[in-house]
Structure formats: C-alpha cells, structure tokens
Amino acid sequence: MSKKVVRVMKIQFKAGQAKPGPALAGAGIQMPKFCTAFNDQTKDRMGETVPVVLTVYEDKDFSFVLKTAPASEMIKKALGVQKGSSNAGTTTVGTLSADKLKEIAEYKMPDLNAYDLDAAMKIVAGTAKNMGVKVEGIDA
C-alpha cells in the first residue's frame, strides 16, 4: 500500500549546507533528518545550488529527488562573472563557447524537456541570451 502524499515542494539549497529554517518550516517534516540526508547526498557538489523536489507524506515521512544545478549558475561559473546583464538586450557580459554550451547541455539533459542534445543546447543558449551572454555558433 502506498503512502498518501500531503504535498510536493520545490526548494533549493547550497550543496552540503541545508539547515532547518523558513524554507522547510511549512513542510511539516523532521527538518534535521532532511538536512542530514540532503547534506550527505550533496557533499560532493559543494558550492553548487541544488534544486530539490521534496515529497511529504501523511505520516510526516518524506522523500526527495536532487536535480542538476540551474543553467544560469553554470553559465555564470563558466564565464567567471557574478551576475548576468541587467539589460540583456543591449549589454553583453561575456561570450560562451560552443564547447562550453555543449558541456552544460549534456550535464542538464536529465532535467530538461528535450529529446536530443541539439534541443538541450538551444534551451541553454536561450538562458544565456536572456542573461546577456553571447553564444558562439548558435542562433538562439
């Protein structure tokens, strides 16, 4: 018999740095238990923001699924910039090579709604364009 799902939450924490607080307060789970489990599973991804899909059950038990880091964070890391352009239409903060774009798209592939690598590259290129980043070899 399966457990009854009470709610599903999408939250983000820095890898290995989850702690009880407002983000988890409304979940109705044992926060230290979640934090320990999350930190153990993400200690190899330190410095990354890790999105989590947290499923809370009626008996206050939970399960969670880790996702890949946000594309915008990976683009900023690849370019070595703190943030994207405040006016993406006119200001460019850097240029992303086609090789880096492919690398990011391959990493993000499990979480993207894309059938193949070319479609994933176009999605990541669109994110880059909205950040004010020029992408070599792609018209997105």
Side-chain angles (χ1 to χ4, degrees):
M1 192 164 112
S2 64
K3 299 178 185 179
K4 184 177 178 193
V5 175
V6 175
R7 75 187 294 183
V8 177
M9 298 175 63
K10 293 180 181 178
I11 48 180
Q12 294 183 4
F13 291 106
K14 288 286 186 185
Q17 298 177 9
K19 52 187 170 227
L24 290 170
I29 61 169
Q30 294 178 356
M31 291 186 267
K33 187 176 173 184
F34 167 79
C35 293
T36 302
F38 175 84
N39 292 340
D40 287 345
Q41 287 189 29
T42 60
K43 61 185 166 207
D44 60 329
R45 295 169 62 177
M46 289 304 253
E48 239 180 66
T49 300
V50 181
V52 182
V53 178
L54 176 65
T55 305
V56 182
Y57 300 105
E58 194 172 40
D59 62 355
K60 301 220 184 273
D61 198 12
F62 62 88
S63 64
F64 61 94
V65 178
L66 302 177
K67 300 292 185 177
T68 57
S72 58
E73 185 176 288
M74 297 180 73
I75 292 166
K76 290 187 291 188
K77 186 176 179 182
L79 294 176
V81 296
Q82 291 292 327
K83 63 179 191 164
S85 173
S86 57
N87 188 355
T90 58
T91 311
T92 303
V93 294
T95 303
L96 190 64
S97 70
D99 291 339
K100 267 296 186 196
L101 176 71
K102 184 176 180 182
E103 184 181 314
I104 293 170
E106 286 173 343
Y107 176 76
K108 290 289 298 172
M109 192 69 182
D111 291 341
L112 293 177
N113 189 13
Y115 290 113
D116 58 13
L117 187 58
D118 287 339
M121 287 173 68
K122 287 180 181 177
I123 292 170
V124 175
T127 301
K129 183 179 178 185
N130 286 330
M131 294 173 62
V133 174
K134 189 173 188 284
V135 180
E136 291 177 351
I138 295 281
D139 297 322

